[in-house]
Amino acid sequence: MNAQTQIELEAAAYRRLQKHLMEDRTDVQNIDMMNLAGFCRNCLSRWYQESAAERGIEMTKDEGREAFYGMTVDAWKADYQSESTPSKDAAFKVAFDENVAKKDG
């Protein structure tokens, strides 16, 4: 497989993951994804933003999120986000510290 084909396949897989999370499984909460997998939609949008920055493209966190979500995060939350629980919040703190904070700091 040549490099261009690999890039195209990786991009197609990313787009399918995005569609799955944004259209097919809107019921899956970000907090549950983070607690189980160590990443969520916000992580994917941050990775998108970071990839843009690596290529000299300026993008704010909100712009990265809107590019991934296809809408503002506020609109997503209003349409799809449910209330969390204290136990989910506690698990999220651990997952965030292990998967995001340590890697950023």
Side-chain angles (χ1 to χ4, degrees):
M1 177 184 319
N2 66 43
Q4 183 60 38
T5 300
Q6 181 178 352
I7 289 168
E8 291 169 7
L9 293 175
E10 291 168 350
Y14 166 83
R15 287 189 298 272
R16 183 61 187 98
L17 173 62
Q18 182 183 31
K19 179 186 181 302
H20 182 75
L21 294 173
M22 302 312 298
E23 296 176 23
D24 302 338
R25 292 305 309 266
T26 56
D27 60 312
V28 176
Q29 298 296 300
N30 278 340
I31 196 166
D32 295 326
M33 288 178 60
M34 180 61 84
N35 291 349
L36 291 172
F39 79 99
C40 68
R41 292 171 185 89
N42 291 334
C43 295
L44 289 163
S45 68
R46 181 172 46 86
W47 298 337
Y48 185 92
Q49 176 196 8
E50 289 169 355
S51 295
E54 289 171 3
R55 288 157 182 79
I57 301 167
E58 291 187 31
M59 182 179 293
T60 66
K61 180 168 75 172
D62 287 339
E63 289 169 336
R65 285 184 174 179
E66 193 164 343
F68 184 82
Y69 281 80
M71 64 182 73
T72 65
V73 173
D74 288 340
W76 171 267
K77 287 178 179 180
D79 290 346
Y80 303 110
Q81 187 166 307
S82 62
E83 291 296 318
S84 185
T85 65
S87 63
K88 285 183 182 183
D89 292 343
F92 175 81
K93 181 176 180 352
V94 172
F96 185 87
D97 288 347
E98 290 177 352
N99 294 287
V100 179
K102 285 184 182 175
K103 292 178 177 157
D104 289 345

